Amino acid sequence: MIRWSLSAELFSAILLALLLLSYRGKDQVLTRRRKMYLVCLWLSMGSILLNVLCVLTIDRAHLLPLWLNLLLNSLYFFSVVILSTVMAAYLFELILEHVYDGHCLRRAHRLLAFLGLLYGAVVLWNLRSGVLFYFDEGHVYHRGPLNGLGYLFLTVELAALVLCYLRNRPSVSRDMVQVMRTLPPLVVLLMVFQQLFPEILLNGAIVTLADLVLYISFQSRRVELDSLTSVGNRISFQTELALRLDGGQRFQVILAALQQFADVNRRFGHQMGDAFLYEVARELERRFPQGRVYRFSNVEFALLLPFPEDGGEARLRLLQERFAQPWTLGSAQAVLNVRLAELLHDGQAWTSGQVLEYLEYAMNLARREGAPLVRFRQEMARALQRQKDLVALMRQSLRERRFRVWYQPVWESAAGAFTSAEALLRLSTPAGEPISPAEFVPLAEENGLIDELSWLVLEEVCRLLSSGAAPGLESVSINLSMQQFLDPGLIPRLRGGLEAHRLAPHRLKIEITERVVAQDAVRTAAVMEELSRLGIRFYLDDFGTGWANLSCALDLPFQCIKLDHSLLAAYPDSPQSRKLVHGLLSLFHDMGVQVVSEGVETQAQADALCQRGVDWLQGYHLARPMPEEELCAFLARHAAPGRAAQL
Ligand code: C2E
Ligand code: MG
Ligand code: MG
């Protein structure tokens, strides 16, 4: 009779009990993965206990009826089949966790089912044939000729796992790579050891070892779940993206940003706001069971879905339709507006960083344009690249002092001379291609570079005005964007600049657009008032570009209104255009506000405007923007006696 050593099994049982205990103590969300792991732990424990029971009863088999001995040992063999099948299924799932193509998993399931059933059938057949084990007439246990069949099955499962792992290697998570590097060699080693020393029972040790490796690799790691909504957090979204991309998988990502969520918090309180967020996460999971939901940022969710063969519109429509409906939680009901950005990955060579950048770009575009949805297109990648190149160029140009301030002379009708100029920033690529400030100024704002640019212009203008190098130049206007204008450092900076160069404040004029006023009318009014007190004058720029709000413009202390050049497009030929421009001129004059006409491109325009009493003229017909030295030469030429009254 064989004398078995149970020490390895008992030691394994203790280890498993510890694992189960540590698991119970953790206050963690039971995800599908955790549930499967827990099932493996309980099955392992059950199988070991059955094994111990069998060994103990085998020693006293003559005390029990034969059927009970057979039943107990058969149950143990069944438990081994179930355990190895469930465990292998779990490992396949972990390997293929980040693979959309379901082929591999289906094939693995078929293989496991086949092996499990086959082995189960052998266990049943064993009752008659005794190929696995049998009891002789004296109730003594004997190993059958196929007793080691379980190890053969285990080897096949292991081989299939390794194959599956190697085929999908780029999409296998780092933790699982670690498991696959350690687990198969260890199991093989133990199996060989078992063959060499059959009296030391190691089945339990093998499964416990597998449980332990999985525990160390997965279960003890930091939870990458969002604690409020229980969906994956931003980090797990990035990891998932990287794995899908590395595996060359096709997918759809949708970013859903809740709008004005602060209103929900204000109306219902933060606790209720949290409950709404939780509900949104649940709803997204319910609606898209084929995908995964992540909390991308506070009020933004990301959905990662398999590539849609129908183009993806249906899912977007589904989302928009749901968000068009109100959300109800108890007595609270809220409409949660959503803005969507979407991207389809169809095999492009993108990194996860690029995908995130593209999604954020699409979302920013949607925000800027007030669109409910922006789908990322390849052209946007080029636009984004240009933006990035431009930001890099701006940084370099700032370092190398390559930004230039040019000046466009402005004609004063009353003086019959160019007495003012507008300062305009200039930037060119190293190849000399000019870039419009209308393009780079907003980018400079978004990238925190506007501050330096503002002071660069101010410094240059003050220096020019105080140098006296530009004959007849009484004032210069500078453009300030919204961010520049609302910068708390603006007033001390301006005051400091004027004082340092000993300039009279009226020589500096500030141009702002209606957009600045619209952004924050109260603060704009306060800043204007303070600067007006200093003696600085204001121009309302680009009047007529669609942003103008007449009453607002007239409420604020603007000395001058600049009619945008778009108003002159059909002027003076078109009667409508004439009516509009002349009407505006009279209106502003009646209000005591001066008018600058921008974009004067023909003599006919200049004549008609002068006849109507326009105060200032600016445009290519009179003078183009030019560098400082040219401006000085230009003004010197025009200030020459006999030229003063000519236009
Ligand atoms: P803006 O303030 O309305 O400046 C006038 C723009 O019209 C300038 O374009 C000028 O070159 C152009 N222009 C002048 N005369 C004519 C004309 O006869 N026909 C046409 N079609 N255009 C004419 P630029 O220099 O490209 O500047 C575009 C915008 O960039 C400016 O519009 C201003 O809003 C902004 N900008 C320029 N420099 C600065 C700056 O230093 N700071 C800030 N914040 N913005 C600036
Ligand atoms: Mg301007
Ligand atoms: Mg303008």
Side-chain angles (χ1 to χ4, degrees):
M1 198 168 78
I2 314 165
R3 305 288 316 166
W4 279 302
S5 160
L6 276 176
S7 42
E9 296 295 272
L10 288 171
F11 182 67
S12 303
I14 294 169
L15 259 181
L16 275 177
L18 285 176
L19 279 184
L20 276 165
L21 274 176
S22 87
Y23 218 78
R24 297 214 124 204
K26 274 187 193 149
D27 181 21
Q28 287 176 341
V29 187
L30 263 194
T31 56
R32 178 182 153 74
R33 193 157 80 183
R34 290 219 166 83
K35 275 186 212 154
M36 279 191 82
Y37 181 70
L38 214 55
V39 169
C40 287
L41 284 185
W42 279 114
L43 280 175
S44 310
M45 184 61 120
S47 174
I48 291 177
L49 293 180
L50 255 175
N51 196 14
V52 172
L53 192 65
C54 287
V55 171
L56 293 177
T57 51
I58 280 169
D59 280 349
R60 298 156 189 83
H62 56 283
L63 300 176
L64 300 173
L66 183 65
W67 66 266
L68 191 57
N69 280 323
L70 276 174
L71 180 72
L72 276 177
N73 283 276
S74 300
L75 276 179
Y76 169 65
F77 272 81
F78 272 126
S79 78
V80 172
V81 187
I82 296 169
L83 175 60
S84 70
T85 309
V86 170
M87 223 158 184
Y90 177 48
L91 287 169
F92 272 116
E93 280 216 8
L94 289 179
I95 292 175
L96 298 171
E97 195 184 358
H98 310 281
V99 178
Y100 276 131
D101 182 8
H103 264 74
C104 231
L105 198 61
R106 277 195 294 278
R107 244 178 286 155
H109 283 160
R110 276 201 293 272
L111 175 75
L112 291 179
F114 170 73
L115 289 176
L117 287 174
L118 188 64
Y119 195 69
V122 174
V123 177
L124 281 178
W125 181 46
N126 174 68
L127 293 174
R128 287 188 53 197
S129 62
V131 285
L132 295 173
F133 68 90
Y134 61 93
F135 289 90
D136 62 18
E137 303 82 46
H139 287 204
V140 177
Y141 179 91
H142 292 278
R143 281 179 163 165
L146 298 184
N147 189 271
L149 192 67
Y151 285 117
L152 182 66
F153 280 27
L154 191 59
T155 312
V156 175
E157 284 173 353
L158 263 185
L161 277 168
V162 171
L163 209 70
C164 175
Y165 162 70
L166 292 176
R167 283 192 58 177
N168 295 283
R169 172 71 187 79
S171 287
V172 180
S173 70
R174 241 184 320 147
D175 300 318
M176 199 54 203
V177 169
Q178 201 181 322
V179 171
M180 289 309 291
R181 279 193 187 146
T182 42
L183 195 57
L186 277 174
V187 171
V188 169
L189 208 72
L190 281 179
M191 284 199 299
V192 172
F193 190 83
Q194 179 73 104
Q195 296 308 310
L196 296 176
F197 305 98
E199 69 285 357
I200 304 172
L201 290 177
L202 286 177
N203 287 1
I206 294 176
V207 291
T208 309
L209 185 86
D211 290 332
L212 207 62
V213 169
L214 287 171
Y215 184 85
I216 293 168
S217 306
F218 283 104
Q219 311 300 332
S220 61
R221 82 170 170 184
R222 189 162 53 91
V223 191
E224 289 182 347
L225 285 183
D226 173 55
S227 52
L228 173 70
T229 57
S230 294
V231 294
N233 59 18
R234 194 187 169 96
I235 296 170
S236 54
F237 174 59
Q238 280 170 332
T239 314
E240 179 84 23
L241 259 186
L243 289 167
R244 302 266 181 209
L245 288 166
D246 289 350
Q249 298 178 53
R250 301 158 78 221
F251 55 78
Q252 179 183 30
V253 206
I254 305 172
L255 209 59
L258 301 179
Q259 303 298 297
Q260 294 105 32
F261 198 75
D263 291 346
V264 177
N265 282 330
R266 217 172 298 128
R267 256 180 79 194
F268 303 104
H270 278 83
Q271 211 174 345
M272 209 56 187
D274 286 354
F276 274 115
L277 287 176
Y278 183 85
E279 189 48 35
V280 170
R282 293 290 79 71
E283 179 73 2
L284 292 177
E285 281 181 330
R286 271 196 297 272
R287 297 242 167 183
F288 301 99
Q290 72 280 40
R292 287 188 195 174
V293 183
Y294 300 88
R295 187 153 173 225
F296 188 71
S297 69
N298 286 349
V299 290
E300 273 181 313
F301 289 92
L303 269 164
L304 195 58
L305 297 146
F307 192 83
E309 296 310 329
D310 66 350
E313 287 88 359
R315 288 175 184 160
L316 293 167
R317 218 174 313 119
L318 189 73
L319 263 173
Q320 288 182 317
E321 280 167 9
R322 176 58 193 94
F323 278 93
Q325 307 293 322
W327 297 71
T328 312
L329 280 179
S331 59
Q333 197 179 58
V335 174
L336 305 177
N337 292 318
V338 76
R339 185 160 282 161
L340 304 176
E342 184 239 27
L343 172 145
L344 290 173
H345 177 250
D346 195 7
Q348 298 92 328
W350 291 337
T351 62
S352 59
Q354 271 172 311
V355 171
L356 287 181
E357 215 174 46
Y358 294 163
L359 275 173
E360 280 173 0
Y361 177 80
M363 188 52 92
N364 278 339
L365 205 66
R367 208 167 286 138
R368 232 178 290 147
E369 292 177 358
L373 162 72
V374 167
R375 306 187 74 180
F376 182 81
R377 292 184 312 275
Q378 196 58 46
E379 310 90 80
M380 294 184 191
R382 282 190 286 277
L384 179 65
Q385 192 51 49
R386 179 170 165 87
Q387 279 192 4
K388 283 185 1 190
D389 293 346
L390 210 58
V391 172
L393 177 68
M394 281 197 282
R395 291 219 158 90
Q396 194 189 358
S397 304
L398 271 171
R399 268 197 312 272
E400 297 171 1
R401 299 174 173 273
R402 290 224 309 265
F403 273 99
R404 291 282 167 267
V405 181
W406 281 24
Y407 299 88
Q408 185 174 29
V410 181
W411 173 271
E412 185 183 355
S413 304
F418 290 100
T419 55
S420 187
E422 178 174 5
L424 296 162
L425 256 177
R426 287 292 174 261
L427 173 68
S428 317
T429 62
E433 180 208 340
I435 301 160
S436 164
E439 186 181 359
F440 69 72
V441 167
L443 266 185
E445 289 194 321
E446 279 168 30
N447 291 277
L449 301 174
I450 198 68
D451 212 32
E452 272 186 81
L453 287 182
S454 313
W455 311 136
L456 185 148
V457 176
L458 180 68
E459 186 52 35
E460 284 289 289
V461 168
C462 288
R463 192 188 44 71
L464 172 69
L465 281 171
S466 63
S467 70
L473 187 67
E474 285 169 15
S475 66
V476 171
S477 60
I478 59 169
N479 293 281
L480 289 183
S481 69
M482 193 161 64
Q483 229 183 70
Q484 292 175 305
F485 190 72
L486 297 179
D487 177 358
L490 175 74
I491 298 172
R493 249 345 214 298
L494 280 173
R495 197 184 283 135
L498 291 172
E499 277 168 13
H501 292 274
R502 301 203 180 144
L503 280 179
H506 71 267
R507 300 195 69 190
L508 197 63
K509 289 174 179 154
I510 291 177
E511 295 190 15
I512 55 170
T513 63
E514 191 76 25
R515 246 179 241 239
V516 179
V517 183
Q519 176 73 14
D520 192 339
V522 179
R523 267 179 72 196
T524 309
V527 175
M528 280 180 83
E529 202 177 305
E530 179 141 12
L531 288 175
S532 295
R533 243 184 280 132
L534 271 185
I536 294 176
R537 299 278 168 257
F538 290 92
Y539 284 11
L540 180 64
D541 202 357
D542 298 348
F543 186 89
T545 47
W547 280 93
N549 170 343
L550 207 55
S551 73
C552 185
L554 296 176
D555 281 347
L556 295 167
F558 285 109
Q559 181 200 24
C560 224
I561 303 281
K562 294 189 84 170
L563 299 185
D564 190 67
H565 56 75
S566 57
L567 293 177
L568 292 193
Y571 186 85
D573 303 332
S574 140
Q576 264 94 346
S577 171
R578 275 204 306 273
K579 254 190 224 157
L580 177 68
V581 174
H582 296 167
L584 285 171
L585 267 169
S586 325
L587 175 77
F588 288 126
H589 282 161
D590 286 351
M591 311 289 300
V593 180
Q594 295 190 351
V595 176
V596 181
S597 195
E598 279 192 288
V600 178
E601 291 184 347
T602 63
Q603 184 66 45
Q605 288 175 337
D607 289 343
L609 287 163
C610 280
Q611 214 185 340
R612 279 284 165 170
V614 77
D615 305 276
W616 306 82
L617 286 173
Q618 180 181 354
Y620 292 168
H621 177 67
L622 297 111
R624 290 193 170 245
M626 55 189 83
E628 186 182 316
E629 317 77 65
E630 272 183 42
L631 175 84
C632 295
F634 177 91
L635 290 179
R637 270 201 315 277
H638 283 264
R643 298 288 304 268
Q646 290 172 23
L647 196 111

